[in-house]
Amino acid sequence: MQYDIRLLQDIVENTPLPIAVYSGDNLTIEMANTAMINTWGKGPNIIGKQYLEVLPEIKDDVFFQQVLTVLKTGIPFHGHNKKVDLVVDGILKTYYFNYSFIPLKDQQGTVYGVMNTGTDVTELHTAKQQVQCAKERLQIAIESSGIGMYEIDLESKKIITCRNFNSICSIDSDIAHQELIARLHPEDLPIREKAHQEAEITGKISYEARIVNEDQSISWIKIDGKIIKNEQDIPSTIIGIIQDISEQRQFQQELQRQVAYSTEELKRSNDDLLHFASVVSHDLREPVRKIKIFNTLLRNEKNTHFNDKSINYLNKIDHASLRMNNIIEGILSYSTIDKSKTSIQNIDLNAIIESIKTDLELIIKEKGALLIANDLPEIQGAPILITQLFYNLLQNALKFSKADQPPRVIISCSKSEINGENAVQIIIKDNGIGMDPAFSEKIFTAFERLNSKDQYEGNGLGLSLCRKIVKRHHGTITAYGEKDNGAVFTVTLPIKQNAESI
């Protein structure tokens, strides 16, 4: 018997659950284990003291009356998540407890005391508060964002929705799964079906569809969801969000309409430009040709004597007609270069340069020019366009030479890259009149001239045509120079083209 009592005492004393026993109307503390003593924080000398003597800070609380009621009625009392302010080690702290007051009875059933057990649930209470606060903030954020949330139990087909979801779909809170599906536009049902079939593999649902409202108006929605599986790896729940994208769709449709309109306008403008180029090439070329012919006939008229002033005028007519013809040719080339596709071939750049030297033979001899070209690689491109590119660049270098110095043009190359692809960088450097570095980009603008048209012939389209050709070949062209100190043009072209035509 004594062993059993000692065993019971040891169990009570060493259990982590706070336990105390009170007796009498003043609730004298008959027993308190270490866990209860530590909970109260009043020190170890409390046995034999009265309840309120040890815990005066709770005199205005309900605990004292609850214990007395249990002592008098013999009916247990249980409290849950009760807030208690205790002075522990001299500091007032707030705790939360789950506790019980249990009557102790003798063999005759008379209540002689009350056993108090308690569990400190302060950390659990704080955690619940934090979770609840997080949920409330999340709910506020979701409602503010306009996003609706939903959850579907795949077994029962029950749907849980939030207020935003109901507002977007124009439904009440209670709606059957099939009824919700029926709200989708009939043409979009296959889209939904396909999205759910793909979700069986990916676990994610994503699609856009239309909802038919009660007034037969249409709303666009975007649905994203995730399939949750149970412990048996069987899909059990779908959790997701819904967004009203009607405004985005309207904006997208308006943007597409404007793009289509702009594209049509651009096409019409290009057609007009092509027509204009055709008119220039056919209708204007002939009058210019006749001006030149009649000017020659007039110059060769035997019975007419021309003084120096008249001869000067005739020369000016010749010069103007030649310049007009160059402008016509330039406009035609510039306006038609983007209208047709050209097949890609292997091009020997060395052969291209030699061919251009032959074409420019007269001006080279006339100016005593020297063209030095390093060994150039073979690339892919449109031969006629690449020839036009380097013809314009070399002709420019010869044209804008210094009056007192023979032109020197050096063509060098090195390996390069464009978007990770092998390329060649070709540098054309001359010793001509150069240019202001501030105009290094402006010279590629159509009809842009930096020098007097009377001093240097041209139509202002040569370099802009060069840039078009380089872009057609997915390359780049830049210019740099200093006034009276030559110019440098750098052309970077891919070694290979990724298409059969450009």
Side-chain angles (χ1 to χ4, degrees):
M1 183 66 176
Q2 289 181 349
Y3 172 78
D4 292 340
I5 293 174
R6 181 180 293 274
L7 178 61
L8 181 59
Q9 288 176 340
D10 288 342
I11 292 174
V12 171
E13 178 61 30
N14 292 288
T15 183
L17 180 69
I19 299 175
V21 175
Y22 318 125
S23 65
D25 291 341
N26 292 323
L27 300 182
T28 301
I29 301 172
E30 302 290 346
M31 186 273 292
N33 67 356
T34 301
M36 182 63 85
I37 292 173
N38 291 337
T39 298
W40 288 337
K42 310 298 182 179
N45 301 319
I46 59 174
I47 304 300
K49 294 183 178 181
Q50 295 179 4
Y51 187 74
L52 291 181
E53 184 184 354
V54 176
L55 301 171
E57 62 267 29
I58 64 171
K59 63 181 178 180
D60 296 327
D61 216 324
V62 296
F63 293 106
F64 188 75
Q65 292 300 323
Q66 288 172 349
V67 178
L68 290 179
T69 300
V70 172
L71 191 63
K72 293 177 181 179
T73 64
I75 301 174
F77 181 88
H78 304 285
H80 298 280
N81 204 34
K82 173 64 178 177
K83 178 183 175 183
V84 184
D85 292 324
L86 295 178
V87 177
V88 178
D89 299 327
I91 301 173
L92 183 64
K93 298 180 180 179
T94 298
Y95 295 88
Y96 289 84
F97 286 95
N98 290 339
Y99 63 95
S100 297
F101 294 132
I102 302 171
L104 300 177
K105 301 178 181 179
D106 57 20
Q107 293 181 351
Q108 289 73 36
T110 302
V111 176
Y112 66 87
V114 175
M115 181 174 66
N116 176 198
T117 62
T119 303
D120 186 348
V121 293
T122 305
E123 290 186 1
L124 180 61
H125 175 84
T126 302
K128 285 183 177 179
Q129 279 189 321
Q130 291 174 344
V131 170
Q132 182 62 31
C133 183
K135 284 183 177 179
E136 290 175 356
R137 289 184 177 181
L138 178 61
Q139 187 65 31
I140 292 172
I142 291 173
E143 290 181 358
S144 300
S145 69
I147 295 174
M149 297 189 66
Y150 69 93
E151 181 177 335
I152 303 175
D153 187 316
L154 294 177
E155 184 176 352
S156 66
K157 300 300 181 182
K158 183 178 179 181
I159 303 177
I160 300 174
T161 62
C162 72
R163 184 165 52 191
N164 278 354
F165 184 99
N166 300 338
S167 176
I168 291 171
C169 297
S170 300
I171 61 172
D172 296 328
S173 57
D174 296 326
I175 187 171
H177 190 206
Q178 289 302 320
E179 185 180 350
L180 184 60
I181 296 174
R183 296 291 303 278
L184 294 179
H185 194 288
E187 295 178 3
D188 295 340
L189 289 175
I191 297 176
R192 175 194 173 276
E193 185 65 26
K194 182 181 178 182
H196 278 262
Q197 288 175 356
E198 293 175 350
E200 293 178 1
I201 301 173
T202 64
K204 296 181 179 180
I205 302 169
S206 183
Y207 65 96
E208 296 179 2
R210 290 164 289 179
I211 283 183
V212 181
N213 300 313
E214 291 184 359
D215 59 0
Q216 299 305 303
S217 62
I218 300 295
S219 299
W220 275 96
I221 59 171
K222 186 178 190 305
I223 295 176
D224 291 286
K226 183 175 179 61
I227 296 178
I228 309 298
K229 296 182 178 181
N230 59 21
E231 295 178 354
Q232 289 74 39
D233 202 32
I234 299 174
S236 60
T237 308
I238 296 177
I239 297 177
I241 61 173
I242 183 173
Q243 295 173 272
D244 186 338
I245 59 170
S246 299
E247 289 187 5
Q248 292 95 311
R249 277 284 183 162
Q250 290 174 3
F251 175 79
Q252 184 180 9
Q253 290 171 356
E254 176 62 19
L255 183 62
Q256 289 174 345
R257 187 191 67 78
Q258 292 184 10
V259 168
Y261 175 78
S262 298
T263 302
E264 186 62 29
E265 284 292 298
L266 182 61
K267 182 178 180 300
R268 183 184 62 78
S269 178
N270 285 341
D271 289 342
D272 289 345
L273 179 60
L274 188 62
H275 177 68
F276 171 73
S278 177
V279 170
V280 167
S281 63
H282 293 90
D283 296 354
L284 292 184
R285 189 180 290 175
E286 183 61 21
V288 172
R289 188 179 68 84
K290 286 184 177 180
I291 291 171
K292 191 170 181 60
I293 290 173
F294 286 120
N295 190 59
T296 302
L297 292 174
L298 183 60
R299 186 195 296 272
N300 296 332
E301 183 65 40
K302 294 180 180 180
N303 297 327
T304 304
H305 175 72
F306 295 104
N307 58 28
D308 291 343
K309 191 173 184 179
S310 298
I311 292 174
N312 184 46
Y313 288 155
L314 292 174
N315 289 338
K316 284 184 178 294
I317 293 173
D318 259 342
H319 181 76
S321 61
L322 178 62
R323 195 161 64 84
M324 185 64 181
N325 189 67
N326 287 337
I327 291 173
I328 292 171
E329 293 294 339
I331 291 174
L332 183 62
S333 298
Y334 185 79
S335 62
T336 58
I337 189 173
D338 293 328
K339 299 301 292 184
S340 59
K341 291 286 186 179
T342 306
S343 61
I344 291 175
Q345 301 176 29
N346 291 329
I347 301 173
D348 183 353
L349 291 179
N350 295 302
I352 293 287
I353 298 299
E354 290 302 317
S355 174
I356 294 172
K357 283 184 182 179
T358 302
D359 292 340
L360 298 174
E361 185 176 5
L362 290 178
I363 190 173
I364 290 174
K365 286 184 177 180
E366 178 186 329
K367 294 195 171 189
L370 179 63
L371 270 66
I372 302 173
N374 292 353
D375 188 29
L376 303 176
E378 188 176 88
I379 66 170
Q380 289 185 342
I384 188 170
L385 297 181
I386 294 297
T387 300
Q388 183 73 53
L389 166 65
F390 287 104
Y391 181 90
N392 287 359
L393 292 174
L394 292 178
Q395 186 188 46
N396 247 33
L398 296 173
K399 182 194 303 182
F400 297 106
S401 61
K402 296 178 180 178
D404 59 347
Q405 188 176 348
R408 295 292 183 267
V409 184
I410 300 175
I411 307 169
S412 60
C413 72
S414 61
K415 292 181 180 180
S416 185
E417 283 190 357
I418 297 179
N419 298 325
E421 300 289 336
N422 291 332
V424 59
Q425 187 178 79
I426 302 166
I427 299 174
I428 300 175
K429 182 178 181 180
D430 65 56
N431 65 338
I433 62 173
M435 61 178 173
D436 189 329
F439 298 112
S440 61
E441 186 63 27
K442 194 175 183 180
I443 60 174
F444 293 105
T445 304
F447 300 107
E448 188 66 48
R449 299 178 60 95
L450 303 184
N451 301 284
S452 169
K453 62 183 179 182
D454 295 325
Q455 188 176 359
Y456 297 98
E457 293 183 1
N459 52 36
L461 290 169
L463 291 178
S464 59
L465 186 60
C466 287
R467 173 155 284 183
K468 272 197 171 188
I469 293 171
V470 170
K471 282 188 175 181
R472 283 274 296 267
H473 286 79
H474 310 101
T476 61
I477 181 171
T478 59
Y480 177 77
E482 296 178 2
K483 210 161 187 180
D484 298 323
N485 197 27
V488 178
F489 286 85
T490 303
V491 178
T492 307
L493 295 169
I495 297 293
K496 293 184 178 181
Q497 297 291 329
N498 296 323
E500 295 182 357
S501 62
I502 57 175

